[in-house]
Amino acid sequence: MNAEIQNLRAPAELRHADELARLAEADNAPRPAGWQLSPRAVRRFILGDPKLGVARKFYGDDPLVDRAIVSLMSRQGLMLVGEPGTAKSMLSELLGAAISGTSALVVQGSAGTNEDHIRYGWNYALLLAEGPTERALVPSPVLNAMRSGRIVRFEEITRCPPEVQDALISILSEKSLALPELGADRVEAARPGFNIIATANLRDRGVHEMSSALKRRFNFETVHPIDDPAFEKELVLRQLAERLEPEAVAVKGAEDVAELLVRTFQDLRSGRTAEGASLNRPDAVMSTAEAVNVLHAAALEAAYLDDGKLGGGHVARQIQGVVLKDSPDDGKKLRAYVDHIVKERAARSGLWKEFYTAARALKLG
Ligand SMILES: Nc1ncnc2c1ncn2[C@@H]1O[C@H](COP(=O)(O)OP(=O)(O)O)[C@@H](O)[C@H]1O
Ligand SMILES: [Mg+2]
């Protein structure tokens, strides 16, 4: 394994370099101009292909992936919206890596994002020394992507002020960017393969503040939390294995505990239990990403502070930090879930009994 892959978070094109190479080798389907892989191969990269030894990476909505790929071939940009932790960023990274060979062209949206981050800025020392020259111009990731015919990602676009977002309108509609400082008629035209994937969290300021002119330039796709418990379990177990790989310890019992954990998350997320009872949903984001964090922490506790056997108690203790983030009411909702639903299951299963006992001992408001 090379050093970069060992970094805590290497980009997707490095982490999956072997898979991408195998897909490219086997790829003889038609490819849009500027694309590194055919749309079919891009889909295989994201949804998996056992024959080529390519793992599934995105779970739960295969047609969404197809539509996303089609959007990126079209003249429209792609806007992925949804709750936090639904893999919007992951999906945009995978699409960038597969289509353009890089997921590194990124604009991170924030209150401090300005037009220079979307268009171009200047190296002020050079600007003073030689005026507005090509050398003094500092291209944004968007301009870089236009010049190289690649995908640029725009993370959390709704966190930037709408008037800043609007700098994208002409880029998306004309597929070109004027550079008036370099000459009155100097226009940079995007090479084929250029497009934008933006992501937006529904819990942030919200997409309603995006101008309708900009909205029209994007195809919107809503990414939902995984609703199939079997899928979610498979995913959390796979990610747990990945996270534990560098650890020098072994953990037993993860299968059953993952089932309990996913059940709990799905119940609380949907406000409806597997048995059909309704309950009060916590305001906290009960995303798959949080479920992975809980299972990972529970496994670390079991491995390093216990005997290595994961149990319901480890989950109960770790779930508290996820659910009780900022709303005291959420603690009461979790308490009610424990007192009614978990208690009933505890009568029938040892694992749920452990969960119940440990959860009762928590201070849940
Ligand atoms: N449907 C899904 N398929 C695969 N992984 C998922 C899914 N939903 C959530 N995840 C996990 O959650 C993690 C966090 O997702 P992220 O892309 O940061 O979410 P978002 O950008 O929507 O907030 C992903 O890296 C992945 O591990
Ligand atoms: Mg994100």
Side-chain angles (χ1 to χ4, degrees):
M1 212 179 252
N2 77 35
E4 256 186 299
I5 300 181
Q6 279 175 346
N7 287 346
L8 267 181
R9 190 83 174 75
E13 58 274 18
L14 279 180
R15 273 182 288 135
H16 308 294
D18 296 353
E19 289 185 358
L20 288 168
R22 284 199 295 282
L23 284 162
E25 172 133 34
D27 192 14
N28 44 28
R31 210 183 305 163
W35 284 38
Q36 309 261 317
L37 290 177
S38 70
R40 283 171 214 271
V42 173
R43 176 212 266 150
R44 281 192 206 111
F45 176 61
I46 294 172
L47 299 177
D49 180 351
K51 269 194 249 120
L52 287 176
V54 174
R56 177 181 277 272
K57 298 169 192 66
F58 180 75
Y59 288 80
D61 195 348
D62 294 5
L64 180 143
V65 173
D66 284 355
R67 290 195 302 272
I69 294 171
V70 171
S71 283
L72 291 171
M73 284 188 276
S74 78
R75 296 188 51 85
Q76 295 285 97
L78 172 64
M79 175 77 63
L80 300 171
V81 300
E83 297 271 306
T86 45
K88 299 178 297 299
S89 299
M90 185 192 86
L91 197 52
S92 74
E93 208 189 323
L94 294 172
L95 286 164
I99 294 171
S100 304
T102 177
S103 56
L105 294 168
V106 189
V107 179
Q108 180 64 52
S110 72
T113 308
N114 60 43
E115 284 200 19
D116 291 1
H117 297 118
I118 296 177
R119 297 149 67 89
Y120 51 88
W122 299 97
N123 173 325
Y124 286 105
L126 284 173
L127 186 64
L128 285 176
E130 43 188 67
T133 59
E134 185 70 59
R135 228 156 58 99
L137 182 136
V138 180
S140 69
V142 179
L143 181 52
N144 271 327
M146 294 175 75
R147 285 176 165 174
S148 57
R150 291 181 171 162
I151 303 281
V152 60
R153 308 194 290 124
F154 201 135
E155 284 280 0
E156 315 284 8
I157 189 170
T158 46
R159 286 194 192 158
C160 341
E163 55 284 8
V164 174
Q165 300 170 20
D166 280 352
L168 284 176
I169 293 179
S170 66
I171 294 175
L172 275 165
S173 55
E174 264 105 74
K175 297 286 189 280
S176 67
L177 181 60
L179 308 175
E181 294 90 344
L182 298 185
D185 50 9
R186 178 65 193 276
V187 174
E188 199 90 26
R191 308 231 344 235
F194 167 73
N195 209 333
I196 300 185
I197 307 174
T199 65
N201 272 325
L202 290 174
R203 301 232 178 174
D204 287 340
R205 177 165 38 180
V207 269
H208 56 275
E209 288 202 21
M210 183 180 287
S211 72
S212 51
L214 184 57
K215 276 186 194 158
R216 270 188 280 118
R217 265 82 189 181
F218 282 101
N219 285 345
F220 278 62
E221 289 292 347
T222 304
V223 191
H224 294 282
I226 304 176
D227 64 0
D228 179 340
F231 263 169
E232 191 166 18
K233 181 181 159 194
E234 185 182 330
L235 175 67
V236 298
L237 281 170
R238 168 166 316 158
Q239 300 216 335
L240 176 69
E242 270 170 32
R243 291 205 192 171
L244 289 182
E245 204 189 54
E247 307 284 341
V249 291
V251 179
K252 290 192 297 286
E255 275 271 332
D256 292 340
V257 167
E259 183 140 352
L260 174 147
L261 176 73
V262 165
R263 188 67 274 150
T264 303
F265 266 65
Q266 297 233 341
D267 288 349
L268 292 170
R269 193 188 287 151
S270 64
R272 193 153 196 87
T273 70
E275 296 87 349
S278 0
L279 48 95
N280 282 325
R281 280 161 45 171
D283 297 327
V285 179
M286 307 287 298
S287 72
T288 304
E290 311 268 17
V292 174
N293 290 338
V294 169
L295 189 60
H296 183 212
L300 292 175
E301 187 190 329
Y304 285 105
L305 295 173
D306 242 334
D307 62 1
K309 171 112 176 58
L310 249 179
H314 300 119
V315 170
R317 284 188 289 276
Q318 298 303 335
I319 221 169
Q320 154 166 259
V322 169
V323 183
L324 303 188
K325 266 186 194 148
D326 44 24
S327 150
D329 258 4
D330 279 1
K332 297 202 187 89
K333 292 175 187 166
L334 181 58
R335 163 111 295 158
Y337 179 69
V338 169
D339 285 348
H340 298 103
I341 314 297
V342 177
K343 186 175 180 193
E344 218 171 273
R345 292 177 189 165
R348 285 175 273 123
S349 137
L351 205 61
W352 284 95
K353 181 111 210 273
E354 290 169 23
F355 183 64
Y356 177 71
T357 311
R360 290 283 306 169
L362 300 174
K363 297 200 172 27
L364 294 176

